[in-house]
Structure formats: structure tokens, C-alpha cells
């Protein structure tokens, strides 16, 4: 979007159009002058302008999840960022003196029209103020008239009335400068009468309408189109009623036909749809959350399945966040260049662990290694795997030492298995334990986990209803088959060795499965 902004700006300048203005520096004085004495006009030439500016605003719903009204946080964020972008002074003056642009009549290209009424009022007040001051000075200074108290009273009254009008206007601007739109809305939401306050929504709407009018004014002033792009994230971490509140805010407060707002709603529909269906906003839509989303979202964009290159880039980005490992690589290289043995404080076991961790990461990042095929599409899951592998390998070395039977690649594959298919892996391990193999005693024959899963998969199918939420955590079942039966055929003895160092598998899942199996056998 930024590239498009630059390209359109350059194209407009090549066509010979006037250079855009900015409300900063000397442009601020020009903007204040136009705000006070001129009315903007939307001409045909303005509508034909192709250059535009995007104002990016990020709203993380998680930051406002504790508020009584999450949508109020959305509106305050919008007001605050627009005020921050253009400056407090132009917006404060617009509150008092500004006016919404009107459309030109015919093909007139005149973009600014003098506010005749405002100018006459101002000159009238100044004239009356001058007359009042003159009368007062005459009454105070001219000999022979000093004794006329009535003249002093008239002069004082005229000067006070005209001067007070000017002072009130200046105070209104100062009030809007000090008390921002964000503070006004926060004050309303903090009111004890908030729950039943009549006209609350209309006051919020008025603040938003002022912002819309101000943006329309700035479009004409800056000689380009303005679009406020609001990215809404972390909505799937909030309570259902909060989610519905944000959708209501988008629908009722910010969906004016002339509002220059673009919302980028970054959500997981599998989480958002049940939230919407649990609230009262679904009445009349047959309790169908997907239908509600289809009506609220005007341009759907479902992110396609991540390709192999994108997954490897996610792994690389996640590995770069491991500052502890990167520091040790740099420290080791510095020690080698100076001819000094690598930092003597390091323990030998720790150096071995670092070597294992780098070997595991190399396998993850190697596109030719079959392990990279099983990396999840979700970046958060990739970071979980990258963060878990070092812990798993350190624990494995601590328990078994350098003579561990499993390689770093196998340990990394086990971490991926536990992250991608926690339900199926937990079921297999529970079956091992119940048969007296897993935790109680390793299988001496080296029976594969896949064969154990196949033997008990029918019982797992019968428990689909009580284990529905847990089963939904698993990835593609066909990939699970390929992973465990072909590419990484872990045995029961491998599971026995790895289970004690597995930190990314929720053991409560296996406990629940054990209780269900026990009840089924009663």
C-alpha cells in the first residue's frame, strides 16, 4: 500500500498537478488560516485525483479486553491516532471554526470559498470592541468628560461584551486542545450512569462525525485522498460479547457511506464464528455465524495454505528470535578468531546441547529434509516448536548424556509430532500405559507407535463426542499416518525415552483419556 501511495504521488506530479501540502511547519499556519476563514469545496478536479495517503492504525483488541465496552476502545484508538497524525491544534480549531466541505456547483474548480458570515461577525466584534475601547478611553482621558460615569459604563459594557465573545471562542479552542476526543469518550464510559445514560451513543457518533468531517477538510487542504486503514487483531482472544461489540461498532458508528475508513479484520473464523453464535447479535440470521461474517465483511481474503518456502522462512524468523543461541555462536566465533578456547565457563554438557540444538534447527530449515514438510502453517505454532526444541534436547542430554539413543533430528520430529497431533499422540501413549508398556515398562520388541494406534483407533472413534474439543487440535490425519508409519516410525522404547522430556504435550489430555477408557470398561 505504501508503494502504491508513492507511485500515485509521482504519477500525479508528472501530470502537472499541484504538489500536495502538509499540515506541519509553515503548512500549519496556512491550514489554520483556511480553517478559520474559508470553507472547503469538493470540485470535479478533486474527485479525479488519484494520489492518496493511507493512515495506518493498529488496534489490538486484547489490550482493551478488560474494558466494559471494547468497542469504545476501538473508537478512542481511532480518535487518538488521527489527532496524533495531524496534530492537536488543527483538530481543536476545526471543532470550533471548521466546516464540512460542500460539493461544487457545476464545473467550478474553486476549492476555497470565503466564509462571509464568519468574517462579518469577526469584523463586527472587532469594530464594536474598538468602539467600546475608544469610548472608555475618551471617558477616562478627555478633560471635561471624566465626570460622566454613564459614558464609562457604556464603554466598559461594550468592550466587555465584544471581548468576551472573542475570549469564549479562544477558550473553546483551548478546551478542545487540552481535552482530546479520547478523553471525552473515556470520561463518558467511566461515568456511573454509563449503563443507562441516554444519548451516550449519539455523543460517540458526534465525535466520529467530527473526525469524518475533519478528514474531508484535510483531503481538500492536502490535495489528495485520505484513507484510514484500521487493522483489528487479537479479537479471537476476547470474550464473545466483546467480539460482538466490535462488530456492532463497525456497523453502527463507523460505517457512514462517506467515512474514509478501511477495516482489516485479521481473525480466525473457526474461533470468531462460535463467539458470534453465543451472543444475541445473531437473531434473524438463523444462528449462523458464517452468514453474519459474510454480511459484515465486504472483501474476504482467506490466507492460502502456506508453501514450503514460506514455512522455512517462518522457521528462520523464529530461530532468529533465539538471542541466547545467537549470542553463543558469535561468542564462539570471536574466541576462535582470537585463538582462545571457547569461553571456559561453558560446561561441556552445555556445549554439546548447543551443537544438538543447531543440528535440530538445521534439519527443520533444510528444504530437502522430509521433516520440513510437517511444519505447521501458523507462525505461532512454528515459534512454539522452535522454543520447545532447545528445552527438549537439554533435558534429553541431562537424562541420557551424549550416549542418548535418539538423534537431534528424531527429538525435533517428536516435538513436531506433539505439537501437530496432541490428541492422537496422547491416545497412543495412554494405550501404551494401559497395556503396561509406555511409562511402566518399555516394549522390548520395539513395537511401533503406529501399530499401537491402529489397534486402538476404533475405541478412539467411539469417544469422538467427549473428546471433540481435543480432537479438533490435531492436524491432517493422513499426514499423521505418513509421519508415524513411514517417515518417523517411533517405537515404544523411543516413546518411553522421550516422554520424560516432552514439555509441549498437555498431560491432562492423556489423563482424561485414561478416565474415559476406565469408565468404558466398567
Amino acid at each position: 500500500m505504501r508503494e502504491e501511495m508513492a507511485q500515485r504521488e509521482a504519477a500525479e506530479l508528472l501530470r502537472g498537478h499541484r504538489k500536495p501540502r502538509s499540515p506541519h511547519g509553515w503548512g500549519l499556519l496556512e491550514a489554520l488560516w483556511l480553517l478559520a476563514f474559508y470553507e472547503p469545496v469538493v470540485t470535479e478536479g478533486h474527485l479525479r485525483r488519484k494520489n492518496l495517503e493511507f493512515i495506518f492504525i493498529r488496534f489490538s483488541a486484547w489490550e482493551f479486553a478488560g474494558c466494559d465496552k471494547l468497542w469504545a476502545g476501538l473508537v478512542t484508538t481511532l480518535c487518538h491516532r488521527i489527532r496524533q497524525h495531524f496534530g492537536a491544534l488543527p483538530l481543536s480549531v476545526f471543532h470550533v471554526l471548521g466546516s464540512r466541505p460542500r460539493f461544487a456547483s457545476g464545473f467550478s474548480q474553486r476549492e476555497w470559498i470565503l466564509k462571509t458570515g464568519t468574517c462579518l461577525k469577526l469584523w463586527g466584534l472587532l469594530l464594536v470592541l474598538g468602539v467600546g475601547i475608544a469610548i472608555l478611553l475618551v471617558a477616562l482621558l478627555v478633560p471635561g468628560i471624566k465626570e460622566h460615569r454613564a459614558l464609562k459604563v457604556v464603554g466598559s459594557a461594550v468592550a466587555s461584551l465584544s471581548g468576551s465573545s472573542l475570549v469564549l471562542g479562544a477558550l473553546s479552542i483551548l478546551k478542545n486542545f487540552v481535552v482530546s476526543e479520547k478523553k471525552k469518550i473515556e470520561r463518558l464510559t467511566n461515568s456511573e450512569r454509563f449503563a443507562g445514560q441516554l444519548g451516550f451513543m449519539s455523543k460517540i457518533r458526534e465525535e466520529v462525525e467530527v473526525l469524518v468531517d475533519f478528514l474531508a477538510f484535510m483531503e481538500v487542504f492536502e490535495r489528495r485522498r485520505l484513507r484510514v486503514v484500521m487493522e483489528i487483531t487479537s479479537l479471537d482472544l476476547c470474550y464473545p460479547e466483546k467480539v460482538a461489540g466490535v462488530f456492532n461498532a463497525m456497523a453502527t458508528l463507523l460505517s457512514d457511506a462517506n467515512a474514509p475508513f478501511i477495516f482489516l479484520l485479521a481473525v480466525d473464523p473457526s474461533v470468531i464464528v462460535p463467539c458470534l453464535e453465543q451472543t444475541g447479535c445473531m437473531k434473524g440470521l438463523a444462528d449462523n455465524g458464517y452468514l453474519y461474517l459474510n454480511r459484515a465483511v465486504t472483501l474476504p481474503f482467506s490466507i492460502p495454505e502456506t508453501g514450503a518456502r514460506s514455512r522455512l522462512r517462518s522457521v528462520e524468523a523464529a530461530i532468529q528470535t533465539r538471542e541466547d543461541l545467537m549470542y553463543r555462536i558469535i561468542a564462539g566465533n570471536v574466541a576462535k578468531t582470537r585463538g582462545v578456547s571457547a569461553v571456559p565457563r561453558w560446561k561441556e554438557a552445555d556445549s554439546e546441547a548447543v551443537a544438538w540444538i543447531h543440528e535440530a534447527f538445521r534439519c527443520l530449515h533444510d528444504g530437502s529434509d522430509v521433516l520440513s514438510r510437517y511444519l505447521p502453517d501458523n507462525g505461532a505454532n512454528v515459534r512454539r516448536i522452535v522454543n520447545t526444541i532447545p528445552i527438549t534436547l537439554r533435558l534429553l542430554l541431562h537424562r541420557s548424556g551424549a550416549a542418548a539413543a535418539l538423534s537431534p533430528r528424531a527429538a525435533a520430529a517428536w516435538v513436531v509430532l506433539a505439537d501437530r497431533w496432541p490428541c492422537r499422540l496422547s491416545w497412543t501413549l495412554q494405550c501404551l500405559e494401559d497395556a503396561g508398556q509406555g511409562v511402566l515398562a518399555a516394549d522390548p520388541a520395539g513395537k511401533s507407535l503406529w501399530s499401537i494406534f491402529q489397534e486402538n483407533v476404533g475405541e478412539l472413534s467411539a469417544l469422538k463426542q467427549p473428546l471433540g474439543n481435543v480432537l479438533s487440535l490435531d492436524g491432517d490425519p493422513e499426514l499423521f499416518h505418513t509421519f508415524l508409519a513411514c517417515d518417523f516410525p517411533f517405537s515404544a522404547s523411543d516413546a518411553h525415552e522421550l516422554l520424560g522430556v516432552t514439555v509441549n504435550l498437555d498431560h491432562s489430555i492423556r489423563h482424561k483419556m485414561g478416565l474415559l477408557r476406565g469408565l468404558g470398561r466398567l
Side-chain angles (χ1 to χ4, degrees), residues 10 133 198 212 221 257 302 330 460 521:
I133 293 174
L198 296 177
V212 173
F221 172 77
S302 296
I330 295 170
L460 178 61
R521 292 172 180 175

Side-chain angles (χ1 to χ4, degrees), residues 185 188 197-208:
I185 297 173
L188 289 173
Q197 191 172 0
L198 296 177
F200 175 80
M201 292 295 290
S202 63
K203 292 180 181 178
I204 302 294
R205 189 188 293 274
E206 287 174 4
E207 294 295 334
V208 175

Side-chain angles (χ1 to χ4, degrees), residues 317-396:
I319 292 174
Q320 294 297 327
T321 63
R322 296 299 306 231
E323 296 179 358
D324 53 341
L325 299 176
M326 303 309 295
Y327 168 77
R328 297 187 179 193
I329 294 172
I330 295 170
N333 292 337
V334 171
K336 290 176 183 178
T337 55
R338 293 180 178 177
V340 183
S341 59
V343 187
R345 296 194 191 94
W346 291 6
K347 296 180 180 179
E348 186 177 347
D350 191 64
S351 300
E352 182 70 19
V354 171
W356 276 46
I357 292 168
H358 285 300
E359 174 62 21
F361 284 164
R362 187 197 64 77
C363 297
L364 278 181
H365 193 257
D366 187 359
S368 60
D369 195 314
V370 69
L371 180 59
S372 63
R373 289 176 44 205
Y374 297 100
L375 290 173
D377 297 335
N378 192 328
N381 287 74
V382 173
R383 287 192 295 273
R384 281 162 54 99
I385 291 172
V386 169
N387 290 332
T388 305
I389 286 176
I391 299 174
T392 303
L393 289 173
R394 290 180 189 279
L395 291 174
L396 184 62

Side-chain angles (χ1 to χ4, degrees), residues 276-288:
L276 293 173
E277 293 175 349
Q278 291 178 31
T279 60
C281 66
M282 300 301 303
K283 294 180 180 179
L285 292 174
D287 295 332
N288 190 333

Side-chain angles (χ1 to χ4, degrees), residues 427-471:
W427 177 257
T428 306
L429 295 175
Q430 183 60 39
C431 294
L432 273 174
E433 182 179 348
D434 292 344
Q437 294 176 339
V439 173
L440 300 179
D443 182 11
K447 196 172 184 180
S448 70
L449 291 184
W450 174 248
S451 62
I452 297 171
F453 177 78
Q454 277 189 313
E455 292 171 3
N456 300 275
V457 69
E459 189 178 354
L460 178 61
S461 300
L463 296 175
K464 277 185 177 180
Q465 185 172 356
L467 294 176
N469 288 339
V470 183
L471 271 170

Side-chain angles (χ1 to χ4, degrees), residues 4 9 54 66 70 100 104 115 156 178 195 208-209 217 232 240 266-267 313 356 372 374 391 403 420 423 484 499 508:
E4 184 180 356
E9 201 76 59
F54 293 112
L70 181 63
R100 181 180 177 83
K115 295 178 183 177
S156 300
V178 175
V208 175
E209 288 177 352
F217 175 92
I232 301 177
V267 296
R313 281 197 294 266
W356 276 46
S372 63
Y374 297 100
I391 299 174
R420 295 298 309 274
C423 179
L484 209 53
L499 184 58
S508 65

Side-chain angles (χ1 to χ4, degrees), residues 180-191:
S180 64
E181 295 76 17
K182 180 181 179 180
K183 290 182 180 178
K184 293 178 187 176
I185 297 173
E186 288 176 347
R187 188 179 297 170
L188 289 173
T189 55
N190 292 333
S191 173

